[in-house]
Amino acid sequence: MDRKIVLTIGRQFGSGGRDIGLKLANALGFGYYDKEVVTMAAQESGLCPEVFENADEKVSDRLAYAFSMGFPYMRMFTPHADILSNEGLFKIQSDTIQNLAEKESCVIVGRCADYIMRDHPDCISFFIHNNTEIRIQRILKMHPEITVEQAKGLMAKMDKFRAAYYNYYTNKTWGNAASYHLSVNASVLGIDGTVAYIQQFVKAKYGL
């Protein structure tokens, strides 16, 4: 198939979005990219991977403050070196994502991929959310050393990071159904059921 289909997945922390993305990619025979985007961006730019990892789906305190004050786009603040750095890293990562989409059909998790690929004719964006109890239990499995209260705090912190990053770079609202083609609560069908549902959605769109 010459057509390169790109499926992007935004997700709440602990929602199962990463697992859904990986299983969906395997089911469709697509490439899968999550943290791999960070590694590839570092390799292509020649920069240290830690530079991208430290900025991964997070904005600096100064950027977050500027956004909270109603300034949605970074070029309004070009005198500040940290903003230039964040803009440069986002551009490099965006180029990496666009290059992947040119080479193969793929599933890309997070990193504003839906916005970066907004002009791609065959991109479908999804957002995965889940109920709080399930998310907490999933977080405790990922981090068995923490308490329930700590899991709640981590969940809130990570969602805040992702929302600030997404809202800042896209000028859209993270998690808002209107920002995506399809928003799915994974608690309704479970992880495997949600994968099957999205797979049927994609097949209906492209006749796979």
Side-chain angles (χ1 to χ4, degrees), residues 126-142:
F126 302 93
F127 189 85
I128 305 298
H129 55 111
N130 213 320
N131 68 41
T132 300
E133 292 74 18
I134 291 176
R135 293 173 64 195
I136 290 172
Q137 290 306 311
R138 290 184 60 85
I139 292 168
L140 289 172
K141 286 183 179 179
M142 289 188 288

Side-chain angles (χ1 to χ4, degrees), residues 65-73 76-77:
Y65 174 75
F67 181 77
S68 70
M69 294 299 291
F71 298 101
Y73 194 61
M76 298 178 71
F77 301 93

Side-chain angles (χ1 to χ4, degrees), residues 87-177:
E87 180 179 32
L89 294 175
F90 183 79
K91 177 63 167 61
I92 292 169
Q93 194 164 262
S94 297
D95 289 343
T96 298
I97 289 172
Q98 290 172 338
N99 290 337
L100 286 170
E102 290 179 1
K103 296 175 182 177
E104 62 177 329
S105 292
C106 54
V107 175
I108 303 175
V109 176
R111 294 160 189 87
C112 302
D114 61 299
Y115 176 77
I116 293 166
M117 299 308 302
R118 63 193 182 281
D119 295 326
H120 191 287
D122 293 307
C123 176
I124 307 178
S125 60
F126 302 93
F127 189 85
I128 305 298
H129 55 111
N130 213 320
N131 68 41
T132 300
E133 292 74 18
I134 291 176
R135 293 173 64 195
I136 290 172
Q137 290 306 311
R138 290 184 60 85
I139 292 168
L140 289 172
K141 286 183 179 179
M142 289 188 288
H143 302 281
E145 74 281 4
I146 66 176
T147 66
V148 171
E149 289 304 312
Q150 288 172 326
K152 291 179 180 179
L154 180 60
M155 180 175 68
K157 179 180 179 180
M158 293 303 296
D159 281 355
K160 183 178 179 180
F161 279 152
R162 290 177 180 177
Y165 183 88
Y166 182 89
N167 296 351
Y168 182 81
Y169 284 109
T170 70
N171 201 23
K172 297 197 296 181
T173 303
W174 181 81
N176 188 317

